[in-house]
Amino acid sequence: MEAKAHIAIVSIPVFTHQVSILEFAKQLIHLYKNTFHVTCIIPTISDSPSIASKHFFGTLPSNIQCIFLPPTDFEDLRNDLTLESQIQISVSRSMPLVCETLKSISTSSNVVAIIVDTFAYEAHQFAKDLNILSYRYFPCSAMVLSMCLYSSKLDESITCEYKDHPNPIEIPGCISVQGTDLPDSFQNKSSLAYKLFLHRSQQLCEADGIIINSFVEMESETLKAISQKYLCGTTPNVYPIGPIVQTRPNIQKNACECLLWLDNQPPNSVIYISFGSGGTLSHEQINELALGLELSNHKFLWVNVRAPSDKASANYLSNNEVDPLNYLPLGFIERTKGQGFVMCGWAPQVEVLKHNAIGAFLTHCGWNSILESIVHGVPMIAWPLFAEQRSNAALVTNGLKVAMRPKCNSKGIVVKEEVANIIKGVMEGLKSEEIGKRMKELQKFANCAMMENGSSMKTFSMLALKWKRLGRPIEVERWA
């Protein structure tokens, strides 16, 4: 019996990144049964995984093995480090253990390729040491990848802070964006986060290829600009294999109260609200959102409600045990009992989005959530919080035109009247119809990309067949 080709994956201590890269691995295993074995090495920050992550890792197939490294010690770090800096430092400090684990795997199996998260770029050197192919897995949009590839040129040409630049930022193949809509890492040129971002972006060219969770039909001009080296002359081949979204076995409805609630709602009547696995709002913003939902008179499902914080990513790498319902407006739960459903915990987002009661998705614009919304044809309200989410919001509103975006006041707050108006805009009227029509067209393209002869599936097969051939014990084929 022919030995399985072994793929090593290096992820990072962020659940959404782990989901994306492991869903990619699941697709590989599903399409090429009994051909590949995957080992995913995961640096960690905390000993206590979330409910959602426990469920996810419990459903992985047997030929995907996850190795969780010991938690990173952060005692010597400043408390004011950005989320991106914390992640990058955590991954960098885990690299000796990553190297040791990779060497151990390589001595007992035929490792043909290493696929690393974009934050784990240092692992590319281990691939060179082991004489195997290495790929960067980019779990964001092609537009954000373009920003990374073009970052050195932007750094040279724009001397002021990007947020202060008077004109929209132009990047080949992309829609123009305001400086304030560039990722958080761009927002302070003197910061450690910006320096780490530039360095991480420059290292993209160290890989043998970049695997990106997007698809040609959605970002054709951007992918064309990347392939024609308009952004960076040494860009490796880019492989769009999306949309890769989370898949789960069907969840019994009696195990999730929100699905039972949705069953009793009319089709396309409910707006679903979620700020992802860690996004948080200020107390003032929580109040305005809640009162706006009430004012809209539309039905709503609001999940993952959290205690307030003035730092949008406050709960991303930690768990706050304070009861967040205490921070909602007085009497809100009682007044909206027939109108809405509020829950603090995890909800099965895939099952929620494909439910026929859902009419729109108010999202923080994490890329996984955007792709899930597209796959299930659900129009969006774009409410970005941190990281690259504002860039994603610009793409879905100004580029793809499948979302609406609320306006903030001078204090950066979306007031209740704006919340109500934006909900009405995406749920009713001519504008709603236009957005819905474009989303259904994009959904069709997304589904076609993942069909047997679709653009992404062809790319997927090309990579898989190459790795399968390298798995054969014929040394001369290693770099053919």
Side-chain angles (χ1 to χ4, degrees):
M1 184 176 178
E2 187 176 352
K4 291 182 181 179
H6 202 128
I7 307 293
I9 288 175
V10 183
S11 188
I12 64 171
V14 175
F15 179 56
T16 52
H17 282 236
Q18 294 161 12
V19 166
S20 185
I21 203 167
L22 283 167
E23 287 292 349
F24 167 81
K26 284 168 64 176
Q27 185 80 290
L28 179 69
I29 295 295
H30 173 72
L31 292 172
Y32 295 87
K33 293 178 175 64
N34 300 317
T35 302
F36 295 101
H37 186 87
V38 175
T39 298
C40 184
I41 305 166
I42 305 176
T44 62
I45 290 176
S46 170
D47 283 319
S48 54
S50 66
I51 294 173
S53 63
K54 285 179 181 177
H55 178 85
F56 176 75
F57 288 109
T59 63
L60 292 175
S62 59
N63 40 4
I64 297 180
Q65 176 192 12
C66 291
I67 299 174
F68 294 90
L69 301 179
T72 307
D73 184 4
F74 277 127
E75 289 297 322
D76 61 323
L77 296 180
R78 304 195 314 266
N79 292 328
D80 61 345
L81 283 176
T82 64
L83 174 66
E84 290 91 341
S85 298
Q86 290 182 62
I87 293 168
Q88 189 65 75
I89 292 169
S90 170
V91 173
S92 295
R93 290 184 174 185
S94 298
M95 277 300 138
L97 286 174
V98 170
C99 179
E100 184 180 315
T101 307
L102 285 171
K103 286 180 178 178
S104 175
I105 296 169
S106 299
T107 58
S108 58
S109 62
N110 186 16
V111 179
V112 298
I114 295 176
I115 304 171
V116 307
D117 185 277
T118 189
F119 278 87
Y121 63 87
E122 291 156 297
H124 286 306
Q125 183 57 48
F126 308 145
K128 290 179 181 178
D129 297 341
L130 296 168
N131 193 32
I132 54 181
L133 294 171
S134 69
Y135 298 83
R136 187 81 69 95
Y137 185 84
F138 200 84
C140 304
S141 67
M143 185 171 101
V144 172
L145 175 59
S146 296
M147 291 174 178
C148 295
L149 293 169
Y150 205 60
S151 58
S152 293
K153 291 183 180 179
L154 284 177
D155 185 61
E156 293 171 2
S157 61
I158 298 177
T159 55
C160 65
E161 293 289 355
Y162 295 107
K163 65 179 182 291
D164 298 326
H165 193 60
N167 301 314
I169 307 295
E170 303 288 344
I171 298 172
C174 300
I175 59 167
S176 58
V177 294
Q178 298 297 323
T180 51
D181 278 338
L182 291 174
D184 282 357
S185 300
F186 275 85
Q187 297 305 322
N188 182 351
K189 284 192 168 188
S190 63
S191 69
L192 174 62
Y194 184 68
K195 291 166 184 163
L196 288 173
F197 173 81
L198 285 179
H199 183 67
R200 190 164 64 242
S201 298
Q202 290 161 0
Q203 300 305 309
L204 281 164
C205 299
E206 294 295 312
D208 292 300
I210 301 171
I211 300 168
I212 182 169
N213 192 8
S214 186
F215 56 103
V216 172
E217 292 83 354
M218 182 169 68
E219 297 192 272
S220 58
E221 291 301 314
T222 306
L223 289 164
K224 180 180 177 182
I226 294 171
S227 67
Q228 294 181 347
K229 318 295 183 184
Y230 290 150
L231 300 141
C232 177
T234 56
T235 307
N237 288 336
V238 173
Y239 302 97
I241 45 75
I244 298 289
V245 297
Q246 189 167 358
T247 56
R248 298 190 187 96
N250 288 331
I251 293 175
Q252 293 183 351
K253 287 186 177 177
N254 59 9
C256 190
E257 198 177 348
C258 70
L259 294 178
L260 291 172
W261 182 82
L262 286 173
D263 285 344
N264 294 316
Q265 311 309 317
N268 303 311
S269 66
V270 178
I271 181 159
Y272 168 56
I273 302 108
S274 174
F275 292 98
S277 58
T280 54
L281 304 176
S282 68
H283 193 189
E284 182 179 0
Q285 186 61 84
I286 288 174
N287 279 327
E288 292 294 328
L289 174 56
L291 294 173
L293 289 170
E294 184 179 357
L295 187 62
S296 75
N297 289 320
H298 278 280
K299 290 182 175 290
F300 63 88
L301 169 62
W302 186 1
V303 307
N304 287 328
V305 178
R306 298 184 178 89
S309 173
D310 290 331
K311 186 176 181 181
S313 60
N315 283 304
Y316 209 74
L317 297 176
S318 64
N319 295 312
N320 193 326
E321 297 182 0
V322 177
D323 184 1
L325 297 186
N326 294 333
Y327 296 93
L328 293 173
L330 188 64
F332 170 75
I333 297 292
E334 292 75 20
R335 291 195 306 272
T336 59
K337 204 163 193 179
Q339 179 188 357
F341 189 97
V342 178
M343 55 187 290
C344 305
W346 169 83
Q349 181 159 294
V350 172
E351 284 72 17
V352 169
L353 286 172
K354 68 183 180 184
H355 199 288
N356 68 356
I358 297 298
F361 180 15
L362 191 159
T363 172
H364 67 307
C365 293
W367 192 239
N368 287 353
S369 290
I370 285 175
L371 290 180
E372 287 168 1
S373 204
I374 289 169
V375 166
H376 296 291
V378 180
M380 291 174 279
I381 292 176
W383 192 307
L385 297 178
F386 58 91
E388 85 290 353
Q389 293 164 12
R390 285 185 295 275
S391 302
N392 293 340
L395 174 62
V396 295
T397 53
N398 303 332
L400 300 174
K401 295 181 171 35
V402 293
M404 297 180 71
R405 187 173 179 180
K407 296 178 181 177
C408 300
N409 65 13
S410 58
K411 295 167 58 181
I413 299 294
V414 182
V415 298
K416 62 184 179 183
E417 293 83 4
E418 176 69 3
V419 172
N421 288 336
I422 207 79
I423 289 172
K424 290 177 181 177
V426 81
M427 294 289 284
E428 57 188 69
L430 182 60
K431 182 81 170 176
S432 170
E433 290 178 13
E434 292 172 351
I435 289 175
K437 183 179 178 181
R438 282 191 291 268
M439 180 57 95
K440 291 301 179 186
E441 290 174 351
L442 189 56
Q443 179 189 26
K444 190 186 302 181
F445 285 131
N447 292 336
C448 287
M450 296 304 288
M451 289 180 179
E452 186 175 352
N453 292 313
S455 59
S456 294
M457 198 51 60
K458 286 179 180 177
T459 301
F460 212 114
S461 297
M462 178 177 64
L463 282 169
L465 290 172
K466 181 175 185 177
W467 297 335
K468 180 180 178 181
R469 184 164 56 90
L470 289 173
R472 295 172 184 167
I474 304 174
E475 190 62 31
V476 73
E477 291 194 5
R478 174 71 66 174
W479 296 102

